[in-house]
Amino acid sequence: MTVTLAQVNKGDELPATSVRVTRGDLVRYAGASGDFNPIHYSESFARRVGLPDVIAHGMLTMALATRLVSDWVGDPGRIVEHGVRFTRPVVVPDDDEGALVELSGKVTAVNEDGTVKLTLTAKCAGQGVLGGAYALVHLP
C-alpha cells in the first residue's frame, strides 16, 4: 500500500520495527559493500582499537533506517533526501541472536510541495545509535 500526502499528518508515527543483526549479516554486508575493515569481523582487532566487540557497519545501520522509510512510503524512489550521524556503534555479539536494532520514525513536517519530513530513531541496547537521522520523502 502506498501512503499518500492526504493520509499524513504532522506527528504521525511510522510503524516501528526491530531487526536482528548477526555476525553472518556482517559478513554478507562486507561482501556486498566491499568494506572488510576488521572491526566488523575480528573481535581481537576490535578490542585492540578500543571497541567493546565487533561492530556493525555504520552504513548497514543507516540502511536499516532507510528500509523503515521505504517500507512506509511503498517505493524507495520516493525518498528525496536522507541523512544521519553515527553516534554509537551497534555491537554484535558472537551468538545466534546478534544485536537487536529498534527502528521508529515520526512525521515532523508536511510541506505544500508534496514532501514530508520524517525524523528517525535507531536504538540498540536501549541507546540511540544514529543522531539527527531524517528523511525527506515525496508523496503522491
Side-chain angles (χ1 to χ4, degrees), residues 1-2 69-79 138:
M1 181 174 134
T2 300
V69 175
S70 64
D71 287 351
W72 182 70
V73 298
D75 176 0
R78 296 205 170 279
I79 300 172
H138 187 269

Side-chain angles (χ1 to χ4, degrees), residues 59-127:
M59 293 303 289
L60 173 57
T61 307
M62 183 177 176
L64 296 175
T66 306
R67 186 171 71 187
L68 175 76
V69 175
S70 64
D71 287 351
W72 182 70
V73 298
D75 176 0
R78 296 205 170 279
I79 300 172
V80 176
E81 189 176 308
H82 181 34
V84 305
R85 283 187 337 273
F86 303 110
T87 57
R88 189 172 278 111
V90 172
V91 177
V92 182
D94 189 13
D95 61 22
D96 293 337
E97 294 195 19
L100 183 66
V101 180
E102 300 169 292
L103 303 152
S104 60
K106 188 174 191 175
V107 175
T108 54
V110 179
N111 305 311
E112 291 182 17
D113 65 356
T115 60
V116 173
K117 185 168 184 182
L118 309 168
T119 57
L120 307 172
T121 302
K123 291 184 178 183
C124 185
Q127 297 186 316

Side-chain angles (χ1 to χ4, degrees), residues 12-45:
D12 287 353
E13 294 187 12
L14 280 63
T17 190
S18 297
V19 178
R20 288 213 171 268
V21 177
T22 65
R23 296 267 177 106
D25 295 324
L26 302 184
V27 170
R28 286 185 286 280
Y29 188 83
S33 68
D35 181 351
F36 295 101
N37 187 322
I39 63 175
H40 303 304
Y41 64 83
S42 172
E43 187 175 325
S44 63
F45 184 86

